[in-house]
Amino acid sequence: MSTPAIEIRDLEKRFIVKQGLFGTPRHVRAVDGVTLSIPTGATLGIVGESGCGKSTLARLILGLLPASAGSVLVEGQDLSRLDRRARARLIQPVFQDPFSSLNPRRSIGDIVAMPLVAQGVAGRETRSRVAEMLEQVGISPDMASRYPAQLSGGQRQRIAIARALVLRPRILLCDEPTSALDVSVQSQILNLLADLRRSLNLTTIFISHNLAVVEHIADTVAVMYLGRIVEEAQAQALFATPRHPYTRALLASVLTPEPGLGVPDVGLGDVLPDPSNIPPGCRFHPRCPVAIARCSLQTPPRVDGAECHLLSA
């Protein structure tokens, strides 16, 4: 059996927060026992409402936050035991806002070259690899002397992708990489990511709140709620026959192009539960339209990729 490209085992992140100067400290379980495995060359989409823990999970995977428990392995190597240079050669991020993630005082050629310089690559090889990477993301190498402010939003995101891939990492982690772009540009960037994944045999983690985008690009989808993965399935199966009530509610909340229909009301309300006061049993049960008595008392088992008491009834 081949080693997964990336394996996340029982990953946890707990924060201690205090409200006010004399408030009682409370624990927030931002990520709570996440286990995922992604084969080489596949794309995993991670979806959920704002505040569910997606971005915290991304920072844990990248090593930007220390985990409270659990591990992240890339090709069998524990990322927490590697230095920064070694981690950079294995996994790289693409963030939401391309303008904020690029140094406005550096040319795009220098920006793309920075990871190579940090690894000790210099001179002719650096220039060659920068030019090659710019071409791969659809930017002419002749534009290397320009600055981020001289580029469009889509071009800036292409530069961010080129910078992430210039070291030829195994894993690309994309955290809402198209949400700051116009719809037409979003499609171009998604197609670019799909082409790069095939040509470079990349393994991709794609985090988004946009279900239509995830359906377009992901092979498998993990649905996150209050720090836990409540459902994981092949993308086609999850969008066709969602098993968890929360997944069904997310899919039902997607806006449609039908005029006059407005925003769908799926009964979830507008406010997420307090992550520092997670309810007992199934953490979704206070908002679940089909909850039964057992849901408030016992943690649900995982049945066919979904954590729900109704699936084991």
Side-chain angles (χ1 to χ4, degrees):
M1 184 176 178
S2 61
T3 302
I6 184 166
E7 191 172 6
I8 301 165
R9 298 177 178 172
D10 300 316
L11 199 60
E12 296 184 10
K13 183 61 183 178
R14 297 183 293 274
F15 295 101
I16 298 177
V17 297
K18 183 189 294 186
Q19 293 189 355
L21 184 61
F22 302 105
T24 302
R26 297 195 294 175
H27 290 269
V28 174
R29 289 180 283 176
V31 174
D32 190 12
V34 168
T35 295
L36 294 165
S37 180
I38 313 172
T40 299
T43 295
L44 170 72
I46 301 177
V47 300
E49 295 168 285
S50 297
C52 71
K54 302 188 302 295
S55 292
T56 301
L57 177 60
R59 292 182 175 91
L60 290 172
I61 295 171
L62 292 168
L64 300 179
L65 284 175
S68 303
S71 59
V72 178
L73 284 75
V74 173
E75 297 180 347
Q77 301 180 74
D78 189 335
L79 288 187
S80 67
R81 298 181 180 178
L82 302 178
D83 62 28
R84 187 174 299 178
R85 283 188 175 189
R87 286 202 306 269
R89 291 192 295 268
L90 291 173
I91 185 167
Q92 283 286 326
V94 177
F95 294 112
Q96 177 176 357
D97 185 353
F99 192 72
S100 297
S101 66
L102 303 178
N103 188 333
R105 295 180 178 85
R106 287 188 175 270
S107 70
I108 64 174
D110 287 342
I111 288 170
V112 176
M114 285 179 67
L116 294 170
V117 174
Q119 295 282 336
V121 181
R124 183 178 298 176
E125 184 180 355
T126 295
R127 292 191 295 272
S128 174
R129 287 175 63 174
V130 167
E132 178 187 358
M133 200 67 249
L134 288 175
E135 286 185 341
Q136 281 194 284
V137 300
I139 298 289
S140 170
D142 295 337
M143 296 175 65
S145 60
R146 296 190 185 183
Y147 289 82
Q150 297 174 288
L151 306 180
S152 67
Q155 288 174 323
R156 287 195 288 262
Q157 194 61 292
R158 289 173 187 268
I159 297 305
I161 293 169
R163 179 182 58 185
L165 294 180
V166 74
L167 288 179
R168 301 167 184 160
R170 312 284 200 278
I171 314 292
L172 188 66
L173 190 151
C174 303
D175 190 0
E176 302 276 11
T178 61
S179 62
L181 305 175
D182 293 339
V183 173
S184 60
V185 181
Q186 284 185 19
S187 176
Q188 296 171 17
I189 296 300
L190 290 174
N191 290 334
L192 172 64
L193 288 170
D195 291 341
L196 291 169
R197 168 191 158 185
R198 287 189 292 268
S199 62
L200 302 176
N201 197 28
L202 280 171
T203 304
T204 310
I205 301 171
F206 195 96
I207 296 174
S208 180
H209 67 278
N210 189 323
L211 294 170
V213 167
V214 171
E215 183 178 16
H216 173 76
I217 200 167
D219 299 305
T220 59
V221 179
V223 181
M224 200 166 184
Y225 183 79
L226 279 182
R228 286 192 65 80
I229 302 298
V230 297
E231 182 168 2
E232 183 187 2
Q234 293 293 313
Q236 185 175 3
L238 184 136
F239 282 94
T241 54
R243 298 175 60 79
H244 197 281
Y246 178 61
T247 307
R248 292 198 292 269
L250 283 182
L251 294 177
S253 69
V254 175
L255 294 175
T256 72
E258 294 290 333
L261 288 183
V263 179
D265 182 6
V266 294
L268 290 180
D270 298 325
V271 181
L272 273 172
D274 183 354
S276 66
N277 187 26
I278 292 176
C282 172
R283 56 193 63 195
F284 182 60
H285 84 264
R287 304 170 77 193
C288 181
V290 292
I292 57 178
R294 191 192 316 166
C295 298
S296 62
L297 303 173
Q298 302 172 2
T299 300
R302 181 170 286 268
V303 179
D304 295 333
E307 292 185 350
C308 182
H309 284 299
L310 296 177
L311 299 177
S312 60

